[in-house]
PDB file of all heavy atoms in Angstrom:
ATOM      1  N   GLY A   1     129.268 -32.219 223.500  1.00 97.00           N
ATOM      2  CA  GLY A   1     130.296 -32.242 222.489  1.00 97.00           C
ATOM      3  C   GLY A   1     131.690 -32.095 223.204  1.00 97.00           C
ATOM      4  O   GLY A   1     131.835 -31.495 224.202  1.00 97.00           O
ATOM      5  N   LEU A   2     132.713 -32.654 222.548  1.00 96.00           N
ATOM      6  CA  LEU A   2     134.068 -32.582 223.069  1.00 96.00           C
ATOM      7  C   LEU A   2     135.038 -32.711 221.830  1.00 96.00           C
ATOM      8  O   LEU A   2     134.618 -33.206 220.814  1.00 96.00           O
ATOM      9  CB  LEU A   2     134.388 -33.524 224.137  1.00 96.00           C
ATOM     10  CG  LEU A   2     134.535 -35.018 223.703  1.00 96.00           C
ATOM     11  CD1 LEU A   2     135.174 -35.782 224.850  1.00 96.00           C
ATOM     12  CD2 LEU A   2     133.278 -35.681 223.381  1.00 96.00           C
ATOM     13  N   ASN A   3     136.255 -32.234 222.075  1.00 96.00           N
ATOM     14  CA  ASN A   3     137.292 -32.339 221.039  1.00 96.00           C
ATOM     15  C   ASN A   3     138.308 -33.451 221.480  1.00 96.00           C
ATOM     16  O   ASN A   3     138.868 -33.336 222.572  1.00 96.00           O
ATOM     17  CB  ASN A   3     137.971 -31.022 220.830  1.00 96.00           C
ATOM     18  CG  ASN A   3     138.960 -31.083 219.736  1.00 96.00           C
ATOM     19  OD1 ASN A   3     140.072 -31.598 219.812  1.00 96.00           O
ATOM     20  ND2 ASN A   3     138.575 -30.520 218.499  1.00 96.00           N
ATOM     21  N   VAL A   4     138.497 -34.423 220.579  1.00 96.00           N
ATOM     22  CA  VAL A   4     139.446 -35.476 220.996  1.00 96.00           C
ATOM     23  C   VAL A   4     140.514 -35.563 219.811  1.00 96.00           C
ATOM     24  O   VAL A   4     140.073 -35.960 218.667  1.00 96.00           O
ATOM     25  CB  VAL A   4     138.747 -36.839 221.097  1.00 96.00           C
ATOM     26  CG1 VAL A   4     139.798 -37.946 221.383  1.00 96.00           C
ATOM     27  CG2 VAL A   4     137.733 -36.780 222.217  1.00 96.00           C
ATOM     28  N   GLY A   5     141.744 -35.225 220.124  1.00 95.00           N
ATOM     29  CA  GLY A   5     142.711 -35.319 219.082  1.00 95.00           C
ATOM     30  C   GLY A   5     142.439 -34.511 217.776  1.00 95.00           C
ATOM     31  O   GLY A   5     142.849 -34.893 216.763  1.00 95.00           O
ATOM     32  N   GLY A   6     141.838 -33.326 218.020  1.00 95.00           N
ATOM     33  CA  GLY A   6     141.494 -32.475 216.870  1.00 95.00           C
ATOM     34  C   GLY A   6     140.239 -32.823 216.110  1.00 95.00           C
ATOM     35  O   GLY A   6     139.889 -32.143 215.188  1.00 95.00           O
ATOM     36  N   VAL A   7     139.478 -33.843 216.668  1.00 97.00           N
ATOM     37  CA  VAL A   7     138.209 -34.217 216.044  1.00 97.00           C
ATOM     38  C   VAL A   7     137.131 -33.726 216.973  1.00 97.00           C
ATOM     39  O   VAL A   7     137.102 -34.127 218.185  1.00 97.00           O
ATOM     40  CB  VAL A   7     138.119 -35.743 215.804  1.00 97.00           C
ATOM     41  CG1 VAL A   7     136.772 -36.023 215.227  1.00 97.00           C
ATOM     42  CG2 VAL A   7     139.286 -36.187 214.956  1.00 97.00           C
ATOM     43  N   ASP A   8     136.179 -33.001 216.455  1.00 97.00           N
ATOM     44  CA  ASP A   8     134.973 -32.576 217.300  1.00 97.00           C
ATOM     45  C   ASP A   8     133.979 -33.688 217.237  1.00 97.00           C
ATOM     46  O   ASP A   8     133.437 -34.138 216.145  1.00 97.00           O
ATOM     47  CB  ASP A   8     134.397 -31.283 216.623  1.00 97.00           C
ATOM     48  CG  ASP A   8     135.307 -30.115 216.890  1.00 97.00           C
ATOM     49  OD1 ASP A   8     136.012 -30.064 217.869  1.00 97.00           O
ATOM     50  OD2 ASP A   8     135.265 -29.223 215.968  1.00 97.00           O
ATOM     51  N   LEU A   9     133.569 -34.178 218.390  1.00 98.00           N
ATOM     52  CA  LEU A   9     132.614 -35.312 218.518  1.00 98.00           C
ATOM     53  C   LEU A   9     131.318 -34.741 219.204  1.00 98.00           C
ATOM     54  O   LEU A   9     131.369 -33.926 220.104  1.00 98.00           O
ATOM     55  CB  LEU A   9     133.131 -36.385 219.344  1.00 98.00           C
ATOM     56  CG  LEU A   9     134.408 -37.073 218.797  1.00 98.00           C
ATOM     57  CD1 LEU A   9     134.952 -38.093 219.800  1.00 98.00           C
ATOM     58  CD2 LEU A   9     134.220 -37.637 217.416  1.00 98.00           C
ATOM     59  N   GLY A  10     130.158 -35.241 218.796  1.00 98.00           N
ATOM     60  CA  GLY A  10     128.915 -34.741 219.386  1.00 98.00           C
ATOM     61  C   GLY A  10     127.928 -35.920 219.550  1.00 98.00           C
ATOM     62  O   GLY A  10     127.914 -36.859 218.788  1.00 98.00           O
ATOM     63  N   LEU A  11     127.085 -35.792 220.606  1.00 98.00           N
ATOM     64  CA  LEU A  11     126.055 -36.731 220.898  1.00 98.00           C
ATOM     65  C   LEU A  11     124.778 -35.902 221.289  1.00 98.00           C
ATOM     66  O   LEU A  11     124.922 -35.008 222.095  1.00 98.00           O
ATOM     67  CB  LEU A  11     126.436 -37.681 221.953  1.00 98.00           C
ATOM     68  CG  LEU A  11     125.323 -38.631 222.538  1.00 98.00           C
ATOM     69  CD1 LEU A  11     124.969 -39.695 221.441  1.00 98.00           C
ATOM     70  CD2 LEU A  11     125.839 -39.318 223.808  1.00 98.00           C
ATOM     71  N   SER A  12     123.645 -36.210 220.726  1.00 98.00           N
ATOM     72  CA  SER A  12     122.479 -35.453 221.054  1.00 98.00           C
ATOM     73  C   SER A  12     121.157 -36.242 221.062  1.00 98.00           C
ATOM     74  O   SER A  12     121.075 -37.316 220.376  1.00 98.00           O
ATOM     75  CB  SER A  12     122.300 -34.287 220.067  1.00 98.00           C
ATOM     76  OG  SER A  12     122.025 -34.773 218.728  1.00 98.00           O
ATOM     77  N   PHE A  13     120.179 -35.740 221.783  1.00 98.00           N
ATOM     78  CA  PHE A  13     118.839 -36.323 221.755  1.00 98.00           C
ATOM     79  C   PHE A  13     117.818 -35.208 221.543  1.00 98.00           C
ATOM     80  O   PHE A  13     117.927 -34.085 222.170  1.00 98.00           O
ATOM     81  CB  PHE A  13     118.462 -37.008 223.102  1.00 98.00           C
ATOM     82  CG  PHE A  13     117.048 -37.424 223.203  1.00 98.00           C
ATOM     83  CD1 PHE A  13     116.596 -38.573 222.604  1.00 98.00           C
ATOM     84  CD2 PHE A  13     116.124 -36.545 223.889  1.00 98.00           C
ATOM     85  CE1 PHE A  13     115.218 -38.973 222.620  1.00 98.00           C
ATOM     86  CE2 PHE A  13     114.780 -36.958 223.961  1.00 98.00           C
ATOM     87  CZ  PHE A  13     114.310 -38.113 223.369  1.00 98.00           C
ATOM     88  N   THR A  14     116.908 -35.398 220.585  1.00 98.00           N
ATOM     89  CA  THR A  14     115.919 -34.313 220.330  1.00 98.00           C
ATOM     90  C   THR A  14     114.467 -34.980 220.254  1.00 98.00           C
ATOM     91  O   THR A  14     114.289 -36.031 219.793  1.00 98.00           O
ATOM     92  CB  THR A  14     116.184 -33.760 218.925  1.00 98.00           C
ATOM     93  OG1 THR A  14     117.494 -33.244 218.854  1.00 98.00           O
ATOM     94  CG2 THR A  14     115.202 -32.617 218.635  1.00 98.00           C
ATOM     95  N   ASP A  15     113.553 -34.243 220.905  1.00 97.00           N
ATOM     96  CA  ASP A  15     112.161 -34.647 220.929  1.00 97.00           C
ATOM     97  C   ASP A  15     111.405 -33.590 220.141  1.00 97.00           C
ATOM     98  O   ASP A  15     111.392 -32.408 220.498  1.00 97.00           O
ATOM     99  CB  ASP A  15     111.647 -34.765 222.381  1.00 97.00           C
ATOM    100  CG  ASP A  15     110.177 -35.141 222.365  1.00 97.00           C
ATOM    101  OD1 ASP A  15     109.851 -36.341 222.268  1.00 97.00           O
ATOM    102  OD2 ASP A  15     109.391 -34.128 222.585  1.00 97.00           O
ATOM    103  N   TYR A  16     110.730 -34.006 219.107  1.00 96.00           N
ATOM    104  CA  TYR A  16     109.844 -33.143 218.248  1.00 96.00           C
ATOM    105  C   TYR A  16     108.367 -33.349 218.716  1.00 96.00           C
ATOM    106  O   TYR A  16     107.897 -34.444 218.615  1.00 96.00           O
ATOM    107  CB  TYR A  16     110.015 -33.408 216.834  1.00 96.00           C
ATOM    108  CG  TYR A  16     111.391 -33.387 216.307  1.00 96.00           C
ATOM    109  CD1 TYR A  16     112.286 -34.430 216.408  1.00 96.00           C
ATOM    110  CD2 TYR A  16     111.894 -32.238 215.659  1.00 96.00           C
ATOM    111  CE1 TYR A  16     113.594 -34.393 215.915  1.00 96.00           C
ATOM    112  CE2 TYR A  16     113.226 -32.165 215.158  1.00 96.00           C
ATOM    113  CZ  TYR A  16     114.028 -33.258 215.244  1.00 96.00           C
ATOM    114  OH  TYR A  16     115.323 -33.217 214.803  1.00 96.00           O
ATOM    115  N   SER A  17     107.661 -32.248 219.003  1.00 94.00           N
ATOM    116  CA  SER A  17     106.227 -32.325 219.323  1.00 94.00           C
ATOM    117  C   SER A  17     105.470 -31.222 218.578  1.00 94.00           C
ATOM    118  O   SER A  17     106.091 -30.213 218.093  1.00 94.00           O
ATOM    119  CB  SER A  17     106.010 -32.252 220.857  1.00 94.00           C
ATOM    120  OG  SER A  17     106.435 -31.086 221.327  1.00 94.00           O
ATOM    121  N   TYR A  18     104.167 -31.363 218.392  1.00 92.00           N
ATOM    122  CA  TYR A  18     103.343 -30.528 217.569  1.00 92.00           C
ATOM    123  C   TYR A  18     102.023 -30.227 218.249  1.00 92.00           C
ATOM    124  O   TYR A  18     101.429 -31.106 218.897  1.00 92.00           O
ATOM    125  CB  TYR A  18     103.137 -31.110 216.208  1.00 92.00           C
ATOM    126  CG  TYR A  18     104.414 -31.605 215.495  1.00 92.00           C
ATOM    127  CD1 TYR A  18     104.917 -32.907 215.723  1.00 92.00           C
ATOM    128  CD2 TYR A  18     105.170 -30.718 214.783  1.00 92.00           C
ATOM    129  CE1 TYR A  18     106.085 -33.337 215.111  1.00 92.00           C
ATOM    130  CE2 TYR A  18     106.347 -31.128 214.186  1.00 92.00           C
ATOM    131  CZ  TYR A  18     106.818 -32.421 214.391  1.00 92.00           C
ATOM    132  OH  TYR A  18     108.003 -32.841 213.806  1.00 92.00           O
ATOM    133  N   ASP A  19     101.495 -28.996 218.092  1.00 90.00           N
ATOM    134  CA  ASP A  19     100.229 -28.656 218.619  1.00 90.00           C
ATOM    135  C   ASP A  19      99.087 -29.228 217.762  1.00 90.00           C
ATOM    136  O   ASP A  19      97.995 -29.491 218.286  1.00 90.00           O
ATOM    137  CB  ASP A  19     100.140 -27.083 218.729  1.00 90.00           C
ATOM    138  CG  ASP A  19     101.025 -26.514 219.703  1.00 90.00           C
ATOM    139  OD1 ASP A  19     101.348 -27.221 220.682  1.00 90.00           O
ATOM    140  OD2 ASP A  19     101.354 -25.364 219.641  1.00 90.00           O
ATOM    141  N   SER A  20      99.280 -29.385 216.509  1.00 78.00           N
ATOM    142  CA  SER A  20      98.189 -29.742 215.558  1.00 78.00           C
ATOM    143  C   SER A  20      97.989 -31.242 215.663  1.00 78.00           C
ATOM    144  O   SER A  20      98.975 -32.024 215.779  1.00 78.00           O
ATOM    145  CB  SER A  20      98.580 -29.341 214.155  1.00 78.00           C
ATOM    146  OG  SER A  20      98.719 -27.940 214.044  1.00 78.00           O
ATOM    147  N   ASP A  21      96.753 -31.660 215.566  1.00 73.00           N
ATOM    148  CA  ASP A  21      96.417 -33.069 215.612  1.00 73.00           C
ATOM    149  C   ASP A  21      96.894 -33.757 214.298  1.00 73.00           C
ATOM    150  O   ASP A  21      96.981 -33.133 213.213  1.00 73.00           O
ATOM    151  CB  ASP A  21      94.851 -33.255 215.688  1.00 73.00           C
ATOM    152  CG  ASP A  21      94.336 -32.799 216.979  1.00 73.00           C
ATOM    153  OD1 ASP A  21      95.058 -32.727 217.975  1.00 73.00           O
ATOM    154  OD2 ASP A  21      93.112 -32.432 217.044  1.00 73.00           O
ATOM    155  N   GLY A  22      97.338 -35.013 214.448  1.00 68.00           N
ATOM    156  CA  GLY A  22      97.654 -35.805 213.214  1.00 68.00           C
ATOM    157  C   GLY A  22      99.192 -35.751 212.910  1.00 68.00           C
ATOM    158  O   GLY A  22      99.586 -36.466 212.005  1.00 68.00           O
ATOM    159  N   TYR A  23      99.918 -34.932 213.591  1.00 72.00           N
ATOM    160  CA  TYR A  23     101.326 -34.779 213.324  1.00 72.00           C
ATOM    161  C   TYR A  23     102.198 -35.749 214.159  1.00 72.00           C
ATOM    162  O   TYR A  23     103.335 -35.899 213.912  1.00 72.00           O
ATOM    163  CB  TYR A  23     101.826 -33.362 213.500  1.00 72.00           C
ATOM    164  CG  TYR A  23     101.486 -32.457 212.351  1.00 72.00           C
ATOM    165  CD1 TYR A  23     100.266 -31.821 212.285  1.00 72.00           C
ATOM    166  CD2 TYR A  23     102.409 -32.215 211.341  1.00 72.00           C
ATOM    167  CE1 TYR A  23      99.909 -30.966 211.262  1.00 72.00           C
ATOM    168  CE2 TYR A  23     102.093 -31.398 210.263  1.00 72.00           C
ATOM    169  CZ  TYR A  23     100.897 -30.809 210.241  1.00 72.00           C
ATOM    170  OH  TYR A  23     100.543 -29.990 209.185  1.00 72.00           O
ATOM    171  N   GLY A  24     101.641 -36.219 215.264  1.00 78.00           N
ATOM    172  CA  GLY A  24     102.417 -37.247 216.127  1.00 78.00           C
ATOM    173  C   GLY A  24     103.633 -36.528 216.723  1.00 78.00           C
ATOM    174  O   GLY A  24     103.582 -35.380 217.172  1.00 78.00           O
ATOM    175  N   GLY A  25     104.716 -37.194 216.612  1.00 90.00           N
ATOM    176  CA  GLY A  25     106.027 -36.690 217.117  1.00 90.00           C
ATOM    177  C   GLY A  25     107.189 -37.640 216.738  1.00 90.00           C
ATOM    178  O   GLY A  25     106.934 -38.749 216.280  1.00 90.00           O
ATOM    179  N   GLN A  26     108.336 -37.092 216.948  1.00 94.00           N
ATOM    180  CA  GLN A  26     109.516 -37.899 216.632  1.00 94.00           C
ATOM    181  C   GLN A  26     110.504 -37.727 217.836  1.00 94.00           C
ATOM    182  O   GLN A  26     110.527 -36.716 218.514  1.00 94.00           O
ATOM    183  CB  GLN A  26     110.192 -37.444 215.360  1.00 94.00           C
ATOM    184  CG  GLN A  26     109.406 -37.566 214.074  1.00 94.00           C
ATOM    185  CD  GLN A  26     108.489 -36.376 213.896  1.00 94.00           C
ATOM    186  OE1 GLN A  26     108.837 -35.206 214.131  1.00 94.00           O
ATOM    187  NE2 GLN A  26     107.261 -36.553 213.411  1.00 94.00           N
ATOM    188  N   GLN A  27     111.353 -38.799 217.976  1.00 96.00           N
ATOM    189  CA  GLN A  27     112.470 -38.758 218.921  1.00 96.00           C
ATOM    190  C   GLN A  27     113.666 -39.251 218.146  1.00 96.00           C
ATOM    191  O   GLN A  27     113.626 -40.191 217.490  1.00 96.00           O
ATOM    192  CB  GLN A  27     112.172 -39.606 220.118  1.00 96.00           C
ATOM    193  CG  GLN A  27     111.012 -39.210 221.030  1.00 96.00           C
ATOM    194  CD  GLN A  27     109.707 -39.537 220.415  1.00 96.00           C
ATOM    195  OE1 GLN A  27     109.506 -40.666 219.868  1.00 96.00           O
ATOM    196  NE2 GLN A  27     108.698 -38.693 220.547  1.00 96.00           N
ATOM    197  N   GLU A  28     114.805 -38.539 218.372  1.00 98.00           N
ATOM    198  CA  GLU A  28     116.071 -38.837 217.654  1.00 98.00           C
ATOM    199  C   GLU A  28     117.197 -38.841 218.534  1.00 98.00           C
ATOM    200  O   GLU A  28     117.366 -37.985 219.482  1.00 98.00           O
ATOM    201  CB  GLU A  28     116.277 -37.863 216.504  1.00 98.00           C
ATOM    202  CG  GLU A  28     115.231 -37.828 215.394  1.00 98.00           C
ATOM    203  CD  GLU A  28     115.560 -36.825 214.279  1.00 98.00           C
ATOM    204  OE1 GLU A  28     116.491 -35.993 214.514  1.00 98.00           O
ATOM    205  OE2 GLU A  28     114.937 -36.907 213.270  1.00 98.00           O
ATOM    206  N   ILE A  29     118.173 -39.784 218.349  1.00 98.00           N
ATOM    207  CA  ILE A  29     119.469 -39.810 218.915  1.00 98.00           C
ATOM    208  C   ILE A  29     120.495 -39.704 217.766  1.00 98.00           C
ATOM    209  O   ILE A  29     120.424 -40.384 216.745  1.00 98.00           O
ATOM    210  CB  ILE A  29     119.724 -41.090 219.697  1.00 98.00           C
ATOM    211  CG1 ILE A  29     118.774 -41.181 220.927  1.00 98.00           C
ATOM    212  CG2 ILE A  29     121.169 -41.179 220.206  1.00 98.00           C
ATOM    213  CD1 ILE A  29     118.922 -42.459 221.763  1.00 98.00           C
ATOM    214  N   ALA A  30     121.437 -38.722 217.925  1.00 98.00           N
ATOM    215  CA  ALA A  30     122.374 -38.476 216.854  1.00 98.00           C
ATOM    216  C   ALA A  30     123.777 -38.472 217.367  1.00 98.00           C
ATOM    217  O   ALA A  30     124.042 -37.994 218.472  1.00 98.00           O
ATOM    218  CB  ALA A  30     122.024 -37.107 216.157  1.00 98.00           C
ATOM    219  N   VAL A  31     124.669 -38.949 216.532  1.00 98.00           N
ATOM    220  CA  VAL A  31     126.103 -38.847 216.810  1.00 98.00           C
ATOM    221  C   VAL A  31     126.803 -38.155 215.608  1.00 98.00           C
ATOM    222  O   VAL A  31     126.314 -38.297 214.452  1.00 98.00           O
ATOM    223  CB  VAL A  31     126.816 -40.268 217.050  1.00 98.00           C
ATOM    224  CG1 VAL A  31     126.265 -40.845 218.392  1.00 98.00           C
ATOM    225  CG2 VAL A  31     126.517 -41.171 215.896  1.00 98.00           C
ATOM    226  N   SER A  32     127.860 -37.401 215.862  1.00 98.00           N
ATOM    227  CA  SER A  32     128.519 -36.670 214.849  1.00 98.00           C
ATOM    228  C   SER A  32     129.968 -36.580 215.132  1.00 98.00           C
ATOM    229  O   SER A  32     130.476 -36.670 216.246  1.00 98.00           O
ATOM    230  CB  SER A  32     127.895 -35.236 214.698  1.00 98.00           C
ATOM    231  OG  SER A  32     128.104 -34.511 215.873  1.00 98.00           O
ATOM    232  N   ALA A  33     130.759 -36.338 213.973  1.00 98.00           N
ATOM    233  CA  ALA A  33     132.167 -36.078 214.125  1.00 98.00           C
ATOM    234  C   ALA A  33     132.547 -35.216 212.950  1.00 98.00           C
ATOM    235  O   ALA A  33     132.007 -35.270 211.832  1.00 98.00           O
ATOM    236  CB  ALA A  33     132.913 -37.411 213.962  1.00 98.00           C
ATOM    237  N   SER A  34     133.493 -34.270 213.263  1.00 98.00           N
ATOM    238  CA  SER A  34     133.913 -33.374 212.192  1.00 98.00           C
ATOM    239  C   SER A  34     135.364 -33.029 212.476  1.00 98.00           C
ATOM    240  O   SER A  34     135.864 -32.973 213.532  1.00 98.00           O
ATOM    241  CB  SER A  34     133.112 -32.058 212.220  1.00 98.00           C
ATOM    242  OG  SER A  34     133.217 -31.350 213.408  1.00 98.00           O
ATOM    243  N   VAL A  35     136.108 -32.791 211.369  1.00 97.00           N
ATOM    244  CA  VAL A  35     137.471 -32.453 211.422  1.00 97.00           C
ATOM    245  C   VAL A  35     137.880 -31.614 210.188  1.00 97.00           C
ATOM    246  O   VAL A  35     137.436 -32.002 209.072  1.00 97.00           O
ATOM    247  CB  VAL A  35     138.416 -33.670 211.551  1.00 97.00           C
ATOM    248  CG1 VAL A  35     138.220 -34.711 210.348  1.00 97.00           C
ATOM    249  CG2 VAL A  35     139.884 -33.325 211.678  1.00 97.00           C
ATOM    250  N   LYS A  36     138.545 -30.461 210.398  1.00 96.00           N
ATOM    251  CA  LYS A  36     138.948 -29.572 209.270  1.00 96.00           C
ATOM    252  C   LYS A  36     137.832 -29.295 208.293  1.00 96.00           C
ATOM    253  O   LYS A  36     138.005 -29.283 207.093  1.00 96.00           O
ATOM    254  CB  LYS A  36     140.113 -30.240 208.612  1.00 96.00           C
ATOM    255  CG  LYS A  36     141.353 -30.419 209.520  1.00 96.00           C
ATOM    256  CD  LYS A  36     142.602 -30.904 208.778  1.00 96.00           C
ATOM    257  CE  LYS A  36     143.780 -30.981 209.676  1.00 96.00           C
ATOM    258  NZ  LYS A  36     144.981 -31.521 209.016  1.00 96.00           N
ATOM    259  N   GLY A  37     136.669 -29.042 208.835  1.00 96.00           N
ATOM    260  CA  GLY A  37     135.537 -28.664 207.964  1.00 96.00           C
ATOM    261  C   GLY A  37     134.695 -29.687 207.418  1.00 96.00           C
ATOM    262  O   GLY A  37     133.544 -29.521 206.895  1.00 96.00           O
ATOM    263  N   LEU A  38     135.174 -30.938 207.588  1.00 98.00           N
ATOM    264  CA  LEU A  38     134.410 -32.136 206.984  1.00 98.00           C
ATOM    265  C   LEU A  38     133.671 -32.809 208.096  1.00 98.00           C
ATOM    266  O   LEU A  38     134.298 -33.172 209.177  1.00 98.00           O
ATOM    267  CB  LEU A  38     135.418 -33.122 206.378  1.00 98.00           C
ATOM    268  CG  LEU A  38     134.742 -34.322 205.673  1.00 98.00           C
ATOM    269  CD1 LEU A  38     133.891 -33.935 204.502  1.00 98.00           C
ATOM    270  CD2 LEU A  38     135.883 -35.382 205.243  1.00 98.00           C
ATOM    271  N   GLY A  39     132.372 -32.963 207.996  1.00 98.00           N
ATOM    272  CA  GLY A  39     131.517 -33.548 209.051  1.00 98.00           C
ATOM    273  C   GLY A  39     130.769 -34.709 208.577  1.00 98.00           C
ATOM    274  O   GLY A  39     130.319 -34.833 207.402  1.00 98.00           O
ATOM    275  N   LEU A  40     130.512 -35.686 209.471  1.00 98.00           N
ATOM    276  CA  LEU A  40     129.724 -36.855 209.236  1.00 98.00           C
ATOM    277  C   LEU A  40     128.752 -36.971 210.487  1.00 98.00           C
ATOM    278  O   LEU A  40     129.235 -36.955 211.619  1.00 98.00           O
ATOM    279  CB  LEU A  40     130.604 -38.077 209.034  1.00 98.00           C
ATOM    280  CG  LEU A  40     129.898 -39.407 208.849  1.00 98.00           C
ATOM    281  CD1 LEU A  40     129.110 -39.466 207.546  1.00 98.00           C
ATOM    282  CD2 LEU A  40     130.940 -40.550 208.948  1.00 98.00           C
ATOM    283  N   SER A  41     127.477 -37.383 210.226  1.00 98.00           N
ATOM    284  CA  SER A  41     126.560 -37.575 211.255  1.00 98.00           C
ATOM    285  C   SER A  41     125.607 -38.750 210.960  1.00 98.00           C
ATOM    286  O   SER A  41     125.389 -39.086 209.830  1.00 98.00           O
ATOM    287  CB  SER A  41     125.748 -36.332 211.570  1.00 98.00           C
ATOM    288  OG  SER A  41     124.741 -36.096 210.559  1.00 98.00           O
ATOM    289  N   TYR A  42     125.199 -39.430 212.041  1.00 98.00           N
ATOM    290  CA  TYR A  42     124.223 -40.471 211.948  1.00 98.00           C
ATOM    291  C   TYR A  42     123.180 -40.220 212.951  1.00 98.00           C
ATOM    292  O   TYR A  42     123.414 -40.028 214.129  1.00 98.00           O
ATOM    293  CB  TYR A  42     124.854 -41.889 212.124  1.00 98.00           C
ATOM    294  CG  TYR A  42     123.824 -42.933 212.160  1.00 98.00           C
ATOM    295  CD1 TYR A  42     123.360 -43.501 210.982  1.00 98.00           C
ATOM    296  CD2 TYR A  42     123.375 -43.489 213.371  1.00 98.00           C
ATOM    297  CE1 TYR A  42     122.433 -44.543 211.008  1.00 98.00           C
ATOM    298  CE2 TYR A  42     122.399 -44.480 213.410  1.00 98.00           C
ATOM    299  CZ  TYR A  42     121.934 -45.060 212.215  1.00 98.00           C
ATOM    300  OH  TYR A  42     120.961 -45.986 212.286  1.00 98.00           O
ATOM    301  N   THR A  43     121.792 -40.282 212.548  1.00 98.00           N
ATOM    302  CA  THR A  43     120.706 -40.140 213.372  1.00 98.00           C
ATOM    303  C   THR A  43     119.786 -41.340 213.347  1.00 98.00           C
ATOM    304  O   THR A  43     119.486 -41.843 212.286  1.00 98.00           O
ATOM    305  CB  THR A  43     119.916 -38.873 212.949  1.00 98.00           C
ATOM    306  OG1 THR A  43     120.772 -37.733 213.030  1.00 98.00           O
ATOM    307  CG2 THR A  43     118.665 -38.634 213.861  1.00 98.00           C
TER     308      THR A  43
END
């Protein structure tokens, strides 16, 4: 994450895994932006 012109920007990658059979897993890439308490994200 970094701040550009007063806007907080973020980029992330998350891997979800499970011990139980049948749950598979998920992988996500997310981007986000927030300013003055208002935030928007897309995953």
Side-chain angles (χ1 to χ4, degrees):
L2 73 164
N3 185 282
V4 179
V7 180
D8 292 326
L9 303 175
L11 173 67
S12 66
F13 171 81
T14 305
D15 177 83
Y16 303 84
S17 60
Y18 309 89
D19 291 337
S20 299
D21 294 335
Y23 280 87
Q26 299 85 38
Q27 296 78 42
E28 295 182 349
I29 296 177
V31 292
S32 63
S34 63
V35 59
K36 296 183 178 180
L38 183 64
L40 177 67
S41 73
Y42 174 80
T43 301

